[in-house]
Amino acid sequence: QVQLVESGGGLVQTGGSLRLSCAASGGTFSTHIMAWFRQAPGKEREFVAAISRSGELTYYADSVKGRFTISRDNATKTVYLQMNSLKPDDTAVYFCAAKRLGWSTVDRDYNYWGQGTQVTVSS
C-alpha cells in the first residue's frame, strides 16, 4: 500500500512558477510509475505528466509540454512537478498518482492517489 501526500500548491500570477511535491510512504516507491493529473472545476480529471520507475522516461500532455517538468528522487521517495509559464487554464487541483505495471495516461489505471493540492493562476 502506497500513501501519497502532495504539497506546494498556491496562488500565482500568470507567467509565474510553482513546484509541486508528492511524498510517498509505504510500498516500494522505485517500483512504481508516477504521474500527475489535474482537475479543474466542472471538468474531468486529466493527465498532466508521467515518469518511469528510473526517471529516465517522461511523458507530457500537449497542453503542458515545454512548460512543466516531472522528476523523481527514489532515495527520498518524492516526485516533483516544476510548473513554469503558468496560465489561468492551469488552475486546478493537482493529484499525484502511482501504479505498478504498464505505462498509462488514463487515471483509472492508477492504483494510488494523493488528496490533491490546489493551484490557482490569476490573470
Side-chain angles (χ1 to χ4, degrees), residues 2 6-7 9-10 16 22 34 38 44 48-51 54 56-57 59 63 69 78 94 107 111 113 117:
V2 176
E6 302 96 333
S7 61
C22 173
M34 301 299 297
R38 68 185 181 185
E44 294 186 352
V48 175
I51 189 165
S54 66
E56 291 182 356
L57 297 176
Y59 186 75
S63 58
T69 302
T78 307
Y94 283 71
D107 58 354
N111 308 109
W113 292 85
T117 185

Side-chain angles (χ1 to χ4, degrees), residues 19-92:
R19 188 193 197 200
L20 305 184
S21 299
C22 173
S25 60
T28 306
F29 179 75
S30 61
T31 63
H32 289 75
I33 292 168
M34 301 299 297
W36 289 94
F37 288 79
R38 68 185 181 185
Q39 188 168 22
K43 295 186 177 180
E44 294 186 352
R45 189 160 53 188
E46 65 174 359
F47 170 80
V48 175
I51 189 165
S52 63
R53 297 174 183 85
S54 66
E56 291 182 356
L57 297 176
T58 57
Y59 186 75
Y60 298 92
D62 288 343
S63 58
V64 307
K65 201 173 296 182
R67 300 187 299 122
F68 291 11
T69 302
I70 188 171
S71 61
R72 68 189 294 163
D73 184 338
N74 286 344
T76 62
K77 299 184 179 182
T78 307
V79 62
Y80 302 98
L81 185 68
Q82 178 66 45
M83 306 186 295
N84 299 328
S85 302
L86 284 161
K87 308 173 183 179
D89 284 349
D90 294 319
T91 296

